[in-house]
Amino acid sequence: MGDRRAKLVITRLNALRDAKTLEDVRNLPGRFHELTANRKGQWGCDLDHPYRLIFTPHERPIPTNEHGQYIWLEIRGVEIIEIEDYH
């Protein structure tokens, strides 16, 4: 992975570990964001371009509001599934 990406992975994992809910990381460096299309239900955060750390919520079903938007505040755990350049 290289030194730079490894340090970023550790930083992102620490942020996720320390968060009580996914909302806690929403505005941190790393641009934590929901994925779309065939990756709907997954989240990503930036590592070194173009790589992303990809994860999914533990909650099943994923909590949504009446408009179908995910409720980050109700997601309390995630599973890391891959490090990927999905573009």
mmCIF file of all heavy atoms in Angstrom, residues 47-87:
data_model
loop_
_atom_site.group_PDB
_atom_site.id
_atom_site.type_symbol
_atom_site.label_atom_id
_atom_site.label_comp_id
_atom_site.label_asym_id
_atom_site.label_seq_id
_atom_site.Cartn_x
_atom_site.Cartn_y
_atom_site.Cartn_z
ATOM 1 N N LEU A 47 -8.685 8.030 0.553
ATOM 2 C CA LEU A 47 -7.315 7.740 0.974
ATOM 3 C C LEU A 47 -6.437 8.575 0.047
ATOM 4 O O LEU A 47 -6.695 9.755 -0.125
ATOM 5 C CB LEU A 47 -7.030 6.238 0.878
ATOM 6 C CG LEU A 47 -7.916 5.351 1.765
ATOM 7 C CD1 LEU A 47 -7.695 3.881 1.465
ATOM 8 C CD2 LEU A 47 -7.657 5.648 3.232
ATOM 9 N N ASP A 48 -5.416 7.994 -0.550
ATOM 10 C CA ASP A 48 -4.645 8.720 -1.565
ATOM 11 C C ASP A 48 -5.323 8.462 -2.909
ATOM 12 O O ASP A 48 -5.723 7.339 -3.209
ATOM 13 C CB ASP A 48 -3.179 8.290 -1.564
ATOM 14 C CG ASP A 48 -2.986 6.796 -1.745
ATOM 15 O OD1 ASP A 48 -3.786 6.016 -1.181
ATOM 16 O OD2 ASP A 48 -2.047 6.397 -2.444
ATOM 17 N N HIS A 49 -5.508 9.510 -3.665
ATOM 18 C CA HIS A 49 -6.245 9.426 -4.927
ATOM 19 C C HIS A 49 -5.636 8.369 -5.837
ATOM 20 O O HIS A 49 -4.431 8.339 -5.988
ATOM 21 C CB HIS A 49 -6.249 10.783 -5.622
ATOM 22 C CG HIS A 49 -7.083 10.789 -6.861
ATOM 23 N ND1 HIS A 49 -8.452 10.833 -6.803
ATOM 24 C CD2 HIS A 49 -6.752 10.717 -8.156
ATOM 25 C CE1 HIS A 49 -8.921 10.811 -8.034
ATOM 26 N NE2 HIS A 49 -7.907 10.737 -8.873
ATOM 27 N N PRO A 50 -6.424 7.494 -6.382
ATOM 28 C CA PRO A 50 -7.888 7.413 -6.426
ATOM 29 C C PRO A 50 -8.465 6.382 -5.453
ATOM 30 O O PRO A 50 -9.604 5.956 -5.618
ATOM 31 C CB PRO A 50 -8.142 6.985 -7.866
ATOM 32 C CG PRO A 50 -7.015 6.033 -8.151
ATOM 33 C CD PRO A 50 -5.819 6.607 -7.391
ATOM 34 N N TYR A 51 -7.723 5.974 -4.447
ATOM 35 C CA TYR A 51 -8.161 4.889 -3.571
ATOM 36 C C TYR A 51 -9.106 5.361 -2.476
ATOM 37 O O TYR A 51 -8.986 6.468 -1.968
ATOM 38 C CB TYR A 51 -6.957 4.172 -2.955
ATOM 39 C CG TYR A 51 -6.227 3.375 -3.999
ATOM 40 C CD1 TYR A 51 -5.173 3.927 -4.699
ATOM 41 C CD2 TYR A 51 -6.643 2.090 -4.317
ATOM 42 C CE1 TYR A 51 -4.526 3.211 -5.691
ATOM 43 C CE2 TYR A 51 -6.000 1.360 -5.300
ATOM 44 C CZ TYR A 51 -4.950 1.934 -5.983
ATOM 45 O OH TYR A 51 -4.315 1.222 -6.972
ATOM 46 N N ARG A 52 -10.050 4.469 -2.139
ATOM 47 C CA ARG A 52 -11.050 4.725 -1.110
ATOM 48 C C ARG A 52 -11.111 3.532 -0.154
ATOM 49 O O ARG A 52 -10.905 2.390 -0.566
ATOM 50 C CB ARG A 52 -12.456 4.891 -1.708
ATOM 51 C CG ARG A 52 -12.591 5.908 -2.801
ATOM 52 C CD ARG A 52 -12.526 7.325 -2.264
ATOM 53 N NE ARG A 52 -12.862 8.305 -3.285
ATOM 54 C CZ ARG A 52 -11.992 8.877 -4.104
ATOM 55 N NH1 ARG A 52 -10.725 8.541 -4.049
ATOM 56 N NH2 ARG A 52 -12.375 9.790 -4.967
ATOM 57 N N LEU A 53 -11.426 3.825 1.095
ATOM 58 C CA LEU A 53 -11.749 2.814 2.081
ATOM 59 C C LEU A 53 -13.270 2.631 2.000
ATOM 60 O O LEU A 53 -14.020 3.591 2.136
ATOM 61 C CB LEU A 53 -11.343 3.287 3.476
ATOM 62 C CG LEU A 53 -11.619 2.341 4.632
ATOM 63 C CD1 LEU A 53 -10.686 1.137 4.559
ATOM 64 C CD2 LEU A 53 -11.431 3.061 5.952
ATOM 65 N N ILE A 54 -13.726 1.413 1.747
ATOM 66 C CA ILE A 54 -15.141 1.134 1.542
ATOM 67 C C ILE A 54 -15.675 0.336 2.735
ATOM 68 O O ILE A 54 -15.043 -0.632 3.177
ATOM 69 C CB ILE A 54 -15.375 0.304 0.255
ATOM 70 C CG1 ILE A 54 -14.611 0.895 -0.930
ATOM 71 C CG2 ILE A 54 -16.863 0.155 -0.031
ATOM 72 C CD1 ILE A 54 -14.995 2.281 -1.304
ATOM 73 N N PHE A 55 -16.855 0.731 3.224
ATOM 74 C CA PHE A 55 -17.446 0.045 4.369
ATOM 75 C C PHE A 55 -18.961 0.029 4.282
ATOM 76 O O PHE A 55 -19.559 0.782 3.511
ATOM 77 C CB PHE A 55 -16.973 0.662 5.692
ATOM 78 C CG PHE A 55 -17.194 2.147 5.804
ATOM 79 C CD1 PHE A 55 -18.341 2.653 6.401
ATOM 80 C CD2 PHE A 55 -16.255 3.053 5.321
ATOM 81 C CE1 PHE A 55 -18.552 4.021 6.524
ATOM 82 C CE2 PHE A 55 -16.450 4.419 5.434
ATOM 83 C CZ PHE A 55 -17.600 4.902 6.037
ATOM 84 N N THR A 56 -19.574 -0.864 5.062
ATOM 85 C CA THR A 56 -21.025 -0.976 5.132
ATOM 86 C C THR A 56 -21.465 -0.895 6.591
ATOM 87 O O THR A 56 -20.725 -1.302 7.496
ATOM 88 C CB THR A 56 -21.530 -2.318 4.551
ATOM 89 O OG1 THR A 56 -20.913 -3.387 5.255
ATOM 90 C CG2 THR A 56 -21.220 -2.432 3.077
ATOM 91 N N PRO A 57 -22.668 -0.396 6.836
ATOM 92 C CA PRO A 57 -23.200 -0.352 8.201
ATOM 93 C C PRO A 57 -23.523 -1.753 8.723
ATOM 94 O O PRO A 57 -23.866 -2.648 7.946
ATOM 95 C CB PRO A 57 -24.492 0.459 8.075
ATOM 96 C CG PRO A 57 -24.383 1.182 6.781
ATOM 97 C CD PRO A 57 -23.544 0.316 5.892
ATOM 98 N N HIS A 58 -23.422 -1.913 10.041
ATOM 99 C CA HIS A 58 -23.850 -3.163 10.674
ATOM 100 C C HIS A 58 -25.370 -3.289 10.663
ATOM 101 O O HIS A 58 -25.895 -4.393 10.622
ATOM 102 C CB HIS A 58 -23.379 -3.221 12.125
ATOM 103 C CG HIS A 58 -21.930 -3.535 12.262
ATOM 104 N ND1 HIS A 58 -21.268 -3.400 13.450
ATOM 105 C CD2 HIS A 58 -20.996 -3.979 11.368
ATOM 106 C CE1 HIS A 58 -20.001 -3.747 13.290
ATOM 107 N NE2 HIS A 58 -19.815 -4.094 12.047
ATOM 108 N N GLU A 59 -26.059 -2.159 10.748
ATOM 109 C CA GLU A 59 -27.521 -2.176 10.847
ATOM 110 C C GLU A 59 -28.151 -2.754 9.586
ATOM 111 O O GLU A 59 -27.803 -2.363 8.478
ATOM 112 C CB GLU A 59 -28.066 -0.757 11.086
ATOM 113 C CG GLU A 59 -27.821 -0.198 12.458
ATOM 114 C CD GLU A 59 -26.391 0.227 12.703
ATOM 115 O OE1 GLU A 59 -25.607 0.361 11.738
ATOM 116 O OE2 GLU A 59 -26.027 0.436 13.855
ATOM 117 N N ARG A 60 -29.078 -3.690 9.794
ATOM 118 C CA ARG A 60 -29.845 -4.276 8.693
ATOM 119 C C ARG A 60 -31.299 -4.307 9.093
ATOM 120 O O ARG A 60 -31.617 -4.939 10.088
ATOM 121 C CB ARG A 60 -29.362 -5.694 8.372
ATOM 122 C CG ARG A 60 -27.984 -5.728 7.780
ATOM 123 C CD ARG A 60 -28.001 -5.239 6.328
ATOM 124 N NE ARG A 60 -26.675 -5.280 5.756
ATOM 125 C CZ ARG A 60 -25.977 -4.215 5.397
ATOM 126 N NH1 ARG A 60 -26.470 -3.019 5.543
ATOM 127 N NH2 ARG A 60 -24.798 -4.341 4.871
ATOM 128 N N PRO A 61 -32.175 -3.643 8.409
ATOM 129 C CA PRO A 61 -31.877 -2.786 7.269
ATOM 130 C C PRO A 61 -31.200 -1.491 7.723
ATOM 131 O O PRO A 61 -31.274 -1.123 8.885
ATOM 132 C CB PRO A 61 -33.258 -2.503 6.668
ATOM 133 C CG PRO A 61 -34.188 -2.585 7.838
ATOM 134 C CD PRO A 61 -33.610 -3.653 8.732
ATOM 135 N N ILE A 62 -30.568 -0.830 6.790
ATOM 136 C CA ILE A 62 -29.929 0.456 7.087
ATOM 137 C C ILE A 62 -31.035 1.460 7.401
ATOM 138 O O ILE A 62 -32.000 1.565 6.641
ATOM 139 C CB ILE A 62 -29.075 0.941 5.902
ATOM 140 C CG1 ILE A 62 -27.992 -0.088 5.565
ATOM 141 C CG2 ILE A 62 -28.447 2.298 6.213
ATOM 142 C CD1 ILE A 62 -27.229 0.195 4.284
ATOM 143 N N PRO A 63 -30.943 2.183 8.529
ATOM 144 C CA PRO A 63 -31.989 3.131 8.902
ATOM 145 C C PRO A 63 -32.166 4.241 7.852
ATOM 146 O O PRO A 63 -31.190 4.821 7.385
ATOM 147 C CB PRO A 63 -31.504 3.731 10.220
ATOM 148 C CG PRO A 63 -30.425 2.829 10.703
ATOM 149 C CD PRO A 63 -29.860 2.156 9.507
ATOM 150 N N THR A 64 -33.417 4.491 7.488
ATOM 151 C CA THR A 64 -33.739 5.556 6.541
ATOM 152 C C THR A 64 -34.874 6.401 7.091
ATOM 153 O O THR A 64 -35.659 5.958 7.939
ATOM 154 C CB THR A 64 -34.166 4.993 5.172
ATOM 155 O OG1 THR A 64 -35.301 4.142 5.355
ATOM 156 C CG2 THR A 64 -33.045 4.223 4.502
ATOM 157 N N ASN A 65 -34.983 7.618 6.576
ATOM 158 C CA ASN A 65 -36.106 8.474 6.941
ATOM 159 C C ASN A 65 -37.248 8.269 5.949
ATOM 160 O O ASN A 65 -37.155 7.418 5.055
ATOM 161 C CB ASN A 65 -35.671 9.946 7.041
ATOM 162 C CG ASN A 65 -35.227 10.531 5.713
ATOM 163 O OD1 ASN A 65 -35.539 10.028 4.630
ATOM 164 N ND2 ASN A 65 -34.494 11.634 5.778
ATOM 165 N N GLU A 66 -38.293 9.056 6.074
ATOM 166 C CA GLU A 66 -39.474 8.903 5.214
ATOM 167 C C GLU A 66 -39.198 9.216 3.750
ATOM 168 O O GLU A 66 -39.989 8.861 2.873
ATOM 169 C CB GLU A 66 -40.637 9.764 5.729
ATOM 170 C CG GLU A 66 -40.382 11.252 5.721
ATOM 171 C CD GLU A 66 -39.659 11.786 6.957
ATOM 172 O OE1 GLU A 66 -39.229 10.996 7.814
ATOM 173 O OE2 GLU A 66 -39.503 13.013 7.057
ATOM 174 N N HIS A 67 -38.058 9.842 3.453
ATOM 175 C CA HIS A 67 -37.674 10.168 2.078
ATOM 176 C C HIS A 67 -36.671 9.155 1.505
ATOM 177 O O HIS A 67 -36.167 9.346 0.399
ATOM 178 C CB HIS A 67 -37.094 11.577 1.998
ATOM 179 C CG HIS A 67 -38.011 12.625 2.535
ATOM 180 N ND1 HIS A 67 -39.173 13.002 1.897
ATOM 181 C CD2 HIS A 67 -37.956 13.354 3.673
ATOM 182 C CE1 HIS A 67 -39.784 13.929 2.611
ATOM 183 N NE2 HIS A 67 -39.066 14.155 3.692
ATOM 184 N N GLY A 68 -36.359 8.119 2.283
ATOM 185 C CA GLY A 68 -35.427 7.100 1.822
ATOM 186 C C GLY A 68 -33.963 7.461 2.012
ATOM 187 O O GLY A 68 -33.087 6.736 1.553
ATOM 188 N N GLN A 69 -33.699 8.566 2.707
ATOM 189 C CA GLN A 69 -32.311 8.970 2.960
ATOM 190 C C GLN A 69 -31.775 8.217 4.179
ATOM 191 O O GLN A 69 -32.494 8.020 5.157
ATOM 192 C CB GLN A 69 -32.243 10.482 3.213
ATOM 193 C CG GLN A 69 -32.711 11.298 2.039
ATOM 194 C CD GLN A 69 -32.956 12.741 2.441
ATOM 195 O OE1 GLN A 69 -33.571 13.028 3.463
ATOM 196 N NE2 GLN A 69 -32.476 13.657 1.609
ATOM 197 N N TYR A 70 -30.520 7.807 4.103
ATOM 198 C CA TYR A 70 -29.915 7.115 5.235
ATOM 199 C C TYR A 70 -29.779 8.054 6.423
ATOM 200 O O TYR A 70 -29.446 9.230 6.266
ATOM 201 C CB TYR A 70 -28.541 6.561 4.860
ATOM 202 C CG TYR A 70 -28.608 5.467 3.821
ATOM 203 C CD1 TYR A 70 -27.852 5.531 2.665
ATOM 204 C CD2 TYR A 70 -29.440 4.361 3.997
ATOM 205 C CE1 TYR A 70 -27.901 4.532 1.713
ATOM 206 C CE2 TYR A 70 -29.503 3.356 3.050
ATOM 207 C CZ TYR A 70 -28.740 3.451 1.913
ATOM 208 O OH TYR A 70 -28.801 2.452 0.975
ATOM 209 N N ILE A 71 -30.002 7.522 7.617
ATOM 210 C CA ILE A 71 -29.885 8.302 8.856
ATOM 211 C C ILE A 71 -28.544 7.968 9.491
ATOM 212 O O ILE A 71 -28.399 6.969 10.207
ATOM 213 C CB ILE A 71 -31.048 7.996 9.818
ATOM 214 C CG1 ILE A 71 -32.392 8.224 9.124
ATOM 215 C CG2 ILE A 71 -30.927 8.859 11.082
ATOM 216 C CD1 ILE A 71 -33.588 7.765 9.938
ATOM 217 N N TRP A 72 -27.553 8.786 9.217
ATOM 218 C CA TRP A 72 -26.193 8.558 9.706
ATOM 219 C C TRP A 72 -26.151 8.465 11.229
ATOM 220 O O TRP A 72 -25.362 7.715 11.788
ATOM 221 C CB TRP A 72 -25.277 9.671 9.226
ATOM 222 C CG TRP A 72 -24.973 9.695 7.767
ATOM 223 C CD1 TRP A 72 -25.863 9.573 6.729
ATOM 224 C CD2 TRP A 72 -23.701 9.868 7.169
ATOM 225 N NE1 TRP A 72 -25.213 9.663 5.530
ATOM 226 C CE2 TRP A 72 -23.874 9.858 5.767
ATOM 227 C CE3 TRP A 72 -22.423 10.047 7.678
ATOM 228 C CZ2 TRP A 72 -22.825 9.998 4.876
ATOM 229 C CZ3 TRP A 72 -21.364 10.203 6.795
ATOM 230 C CH2 TRP A 72 -21.573 10.170 5.409
ATOM 231 N N LEU A 73 -26.996 9.230 11.893
ATOM 232 C CA LEU A 73 -27.016 9.283 13.351
ATOM 233 C C LEU A 73 -27.427 7.945 13.978
ATOM 234 O O LEU A 73 -27.117 7.674 15.125
ATOM 235 C CB LEU A 73 -27.974 10.395 13.800
ATOM 236 C CG LEU A 73 -27.905 10.847 15.233
ATOM 237 C CD1 LEU A 73 -26.512 11.373 15.578
ATOM 238 C CD2 LEU A 73 -28.937 11.929 15.492
ATOM 239 N N GLU A 74 -28.100 7.094 13.236
ATOM 240 C CA GLU A 74 -28.555 5.809 13.759
ATOM 241 C C GLU A 74 -27.654 4.635 13.357
ATOM 242 O O GLU A 74 -27.947 3.489 13.686
ATOM 243 C CB GLU A 74 -29.998 5.546 13.313
ATOM 244 C CG GLU A 74 -30.978 6.516 13.939
ATOM 245 C CD GLU A 74 -32.420 6.226 13.571
ATOM 246 O OE1 GLU A 74 -32.707 5.129 13.038
ATOM 247 O OE2 GLU A 74 -33.256 7.112 13.805
ATOM 248 N N ILE A 75 -26.563 4.926 12.666
ATOM 249 C CA ILE A 75 -25.606 3.884 12.275
ATOM 250 C C ILE A 75 -24.487 3.872 13.299
ATOM 251 O O ILE A 75 -23.743 4.839 13.422
ATOM 252 C CB ILE A 75 -25.092 4.126 10.844
ATOM 253 C CG1 ILE A 75 -26.264 4.070 9.860
ATOM 254 C CG2 ILE A 75 -24.000 3.116 10.493
ATOM 255 C CD1 ILE A 75 -25.926 4.502 8.451
ATOM 256 N N ARG A 76 -24.384 2.778 14.039
ATOM 257 C CA ARG A 76 -23.477 2.721 15.188
ATOM 258 C C ARG A 76 -22.273 1.801 14.989
ATOM 259 O O ARG A 76 -21.428 1.694 15.864
ATOM 260 C CB ARG A 76 -24.254 2.306 16.422
ATOM 261 C CG ARG A 76 -25.236 3.386 16.844
ATOM 262 C CD ARG A 76 -26.030 3.012 18.077
ATOM 263 N NE ARG A 76 -26.789 4.144 18.560
ATOM 264 C CZ ARG A 76 -27.950 4.549 18.046
ATOM 265 N NH1 ARG A 76 -28.469 3.917 17.025
ATOM 266 N NH2 ARG A 76 -28.580 5.589 18.546
ATOM 267 N N GLY A 77 -22.210 1.128 13.868
ATOM 268 C CA GLY A 77 -21.084 0.248 13.609
ATOM 269 C C GLY A 77 -20.952 -0.006 12.125
ATOM 270 O O GLY A 77 -21.941 0.047 11.393
ATOM 271 N N VAL A 78 -19.731 -0.256 11.692
ATOM 272 C CA VAL A 78 -19.488 -0.521 10.275
ATOM 273 C C VAL A 78 -18.543 -1.700 10.121
ATOM 274 O O VAL A 78 -17.814 -2.051 11.046
ATOM 275 C CB VAL A 78 -18.904 0.712 9.535
ATOM 276 C CG1 VAL A 78 -19.852 1.895 9.598
ATOM 277 C CG2 VAL A 78 -17.536 1.085 10.052
ATOM 278 N N GLU A 79 -18.568 -2.272 8.940
ATOM 279 C CA GLU A 79 -17.631 -3.326 8.566
ATOM 280 C C GLU A 79 -16.840 -2.845 7.365
ATOM 281 O O GLU A 79 -17.421 -2.444 6.350
ATOM 282 C CB GLU A 79 -18.386 -4.604 8.202
ATOM 283 C CG GLU A 79 -17.463 -5.714 7.756
ATOM 284 C CD GLU A 79 -18.219 -6.974 7.400
ATOM 285 O OE1 GLU A 79 -19.404 -7.084 7.717
ATOM 286 O OE2 GLU A 79 -17.590 -7.850 6.781
ATOM 287 N N ILE A 80 -15.527 -2.857 7.468
ATOM 288 C CA ILE A 80 -14.661 -2.489 6.356
ATOM 289 C C ILE A 80 -14.702 -3.638 5.357
ATOM 290 O O ILE A 80 -14.497 -4.794 5.729
ATOM 291 C CB ILE A 80 -13.208 -2.249 6.826
ATOM 292 C CG1 ILE A 80 -13.166 -1.244 7.975
ATOM 293 C CG2 ILE A 80 -12.330 -1.832 5.652
ATOM 294 C CD1 ILE A 80 -13.769 0.100 7.697
ATOM 295 N N ILE A 81 -14.968 -3.319 4.087
ATOM 296 C CA ILE A 81 -15.037 -4.401 3.111
ATOM 297 C C ILE A 81 -13.895 -4.390 2.103
ATOM 298 O O ILE A 81 -13.535 -5.435 1.588
ATOM 299 C CB ILE A 81 -16.408 -4.444 2.395
ATOM 300 C CG1 ILE A 81 -16.738 -3.113 1.733
ATOM 301 C CG2 ILE A 81 -17.495 -4.833 3.364
ATOM 302 C CD1 ILE A 81 -17.988 -3.169 0.882
ATOM 303 N N GLU A 82 -13.315 -3.201 1.839
ATOM 304 C CA GLU A 82 -12.198 -3.198 0.890
ATOM 305 C C GLU A 82 -11.536 -1.830 0.797
ATOM 306 O O GLU A 82 -12.082 -0.828 1.245
ATOM 307 C CB GLU A 82 -12.649 -3.637 -0.495
ATOM 308 C CG GLU A 82 -13.681 -2.739 -1.146
ATOM 309 C CD GLU A 82 -14.234 -3.305 -2.443
ATOM 310 O OE1 GLU A 82 -13.519 -4.058 -3.132
ATOM 311 O OE2 GLU A 82 -15.371 -2.985 -2.765
ATOM 312 N N ILE A 83 -10.368 -1.830 0.210
ATOM 313 C CA ILE A 83 -9.688 -0.617 -0.223
ATOM 314 C C ILE A 83 -9.633 -0.737 -1.735
ATOM 315 O O ILE A 83 -9.126 -1.727 -2.263
ATOM 316 C CB ILE A 83 -8.293 -0.500 0.389
ATOM 317 C CG1 ILE A 83 -8.410 -0.314 1.897
ATOM 318 C CG2 ILE A 83 -7.514 0.639 -0.267
ATOM 319 C CD1 ILE A 83 -7.097 -0.382 2.632
ATOM 320 N N GLU A 84 -10.156 0.261 -2.425
ATOM 321 C CA GLU A 84 -10.400 0.089 -3.858
ATOM 322 C C GLU A 84 -10.338 1.408 -4.602
ATOM 323 O O GLU A 84 -10.672 2.453 -4.063
ATOM 324 C CB GLU A 84 -11.799 -0.524 -4.022
ATOM 325 C CG GLU A 84 -12.306 -0.626 -5.403
ATOM 326 C CD GLU A 84 -12.204 -2.030 -5.941
ATOM 327 O OE1 GLU A 84 -12.138 -2.976 -5.154
ATOM 328 O OE2 GLU A 84 -12.152 -2.151 -7.175
ATOM 329 N N ASP A 85 -9.934 1.330 -5.857
ATOM 330 C CA ASP A 85 -10.143 2.403 -6.820
ATOM 331 C C ASP A 85 -11.344 1.956 -7.654
ATOM 332 O O ASP A 85 -11.214 1.165 -8.564
ATOM 333 C CB ASP A 85 -8.914 2.590 -7.711
ATOM 334 C CG ASP A 85 -9.192 3.504 -8.899
ATOM 335 O OD1 ASP A 85 -10.245 4.161 -8.947
ATOM 336 O OD2 ASP A 85 -8.334 3.549 -9.804
ATOM 337 N N TYR A 86 -12.541 2.414 -7.287
ATOM 338 C CA TYR A 86 -13.748 1.942 -7.946
ATOM 339 C C TYR A 86 -14.181 2.834 -9.109
ATOM 340 O O TYR A 86 -15.226 2.617 -9.702
ATOM 341 C CB TYR A 86 -14.914 1.778 -6.957
ATOM 342 C CG TYR A 86 -15.251 3.013 -6.164
ATOM 343 C CD1 TYR A 86 -15.980 4.064 -6.714
ATOM 344 C CD2 TYR A 86 -14.857 3.114 -4.831
ATOM 345 C CE1 TYR A 86 -16.278 5.181 -5.970
ATOM 346 C CE2 TYR A 86 -15.150 4.226 -4.082
ATOM 347 C CZ TYR A 86 -15.881 5.260 -4.657
ATOM 348 O OH TYR A 86 -16.185 6.371 -3.913
ATOM 349 N N HIS A 87 -13.394 3.818 -9.443
ATOM 350 C CA HIS A 87 -13.756 4.703 -10.564
ATOM 351 C C HIS A 87 -13.303 4.121 -11.888
ATOM 352 O O HIS A 87 -12.361 3.465 -12.030
ATOM 353 C CB HIS A 87 -13.139 6.081 -10.380
ATOM 354 C CG HIS A 87 -13.739 6.803 -9.224
ATOM 355 N ND1 HIS A 87 -13.071 6.972 -8.033
ATOM 356 C CD2 HIS A 87 -14.936 7.376 -9.061
ATOM 357 C CE1 HIS A 87 -13.844 7.626 -7.202
ATOM 358 N NE2 HIS A 87 -14.983 7.887 -7.791
#
